[in-house]
Amino acid sequence: MASRVLWASRAASYLRISTFNRAFSTVLKDLKYNDTHEWVKVDGDSATVGITDHAQDHLGDVVYVELPEVGSTVAQGANFGAVESVKATSDIISPVSGEIVEVNDELSNSPGLVNASPYENGWIIKVKLNDAAELDSLMDFEKYTKFCEEEDAKH
């Protein structure tokens, strides 16, 4: 593997193609983030929640996602499920409060969607928001990017 990377780096250098190591994972601009690496996308009074690319990258291959019941409520900062990977099990913390109106049932059969598409097909729950003001306590993409860089520098 190392010889392939070295060869690719030399080939890129010869061809004057810039190469860079991926410092951290993808962060999308139109989402809000909490410090436990969940994201939320708001559309009116509906919010879609999932774990970030950064979180799935650190977890490794996801093998199981514990989903809550539709109709149950979640509170900002509270656990509503778990993601189990080959490395660890991690609680999923809700970035917003509200009633769960939909869960991503696809994750029961294909938990790897969390790895392959954390911001699209790997979403976890949809919530009817109780209080849109809660979004003000979350990070935008710039703050979350900086947060991830600082967190990775500690490890």
Side-chain angles (χ1 to χ4, degrees), residues 17 30 69 79 107 109 127-128 143:
I17 300 170
D30 61 338
E69 295 286 323
N79 170 9
L107 298 178
N109 297 326
V127 176
K128 182 177 182 206
K143 287 181 182 169

Side-chain angles (χ1 to χ4, degrees), residues 5-105:
V5 171
L6 182 59
W7 176 88
S9 179
R10 285 182 179 157
S13 176
Y14 176 77
L15 296 170
R16 292 186 172 86
I17 300 170
S18 65
T19 60
F20 58 91
N21 291 330
R22 185 174 169 188
F24 56 90
S25 304
T26 304
V27 179
L28 300 183
K29 290 184 179 184
D30 61 338
L31 306 180
K32 293 283 199 166
Y33 302 88
N34 64 7
D35 61 4
T36 53
H37 303 286
E38 289 82 14
W39 58 265
V40 60
K41 181 176 185 176
V42 177
D43 183 17
D45 69 346
S46 176
T48 303
V49 176
I51 67 167
T52 65
D53 191 31
H54 185 86
Q56 72 78 25
D57 189 50
H58 282 269
L59 279 169
D61 293 338
V62 173
V63 295
Y64 177 74
V65 179
E66 178 188 322
L67 297 169
E69 295 286 323
V70 171
S72 60
T73 57
V74 292
Q76 185 179 47
N79 170 9
F80 70 81
V83 175
E84 186 177 322
S85 74
V86 294
K87 291 183 184 178
T89 298
S90 181
D91 286 339
I92 310 168
I93 308 300
S94 184
V96 293
S97 301
E99 179 186 348
I100 298 172
V101 294
E102 189 177 349
V103 297
N104 188 352
D105 290 324

Side-chain angles (χ1 to χ4, degrees), residues 23-27 33 37 52 54-55 58 139 142-155:
F24 56 90
S25 304
T26 304
V27 179
Y33 302 88
H37 303 286
T52 65
H54 185 86
H58 282 269
M139 291 179 268
E142 288 176 351
K143 287 181 182 169
Y144 183 69
T145 297
K146 184 174 169 90
F147 176 79
C148 290
E149 289 171 342
E150 290 171 355
E151 191 175 74
D152 284 350
K154 292 176 189 173
H155 297 290

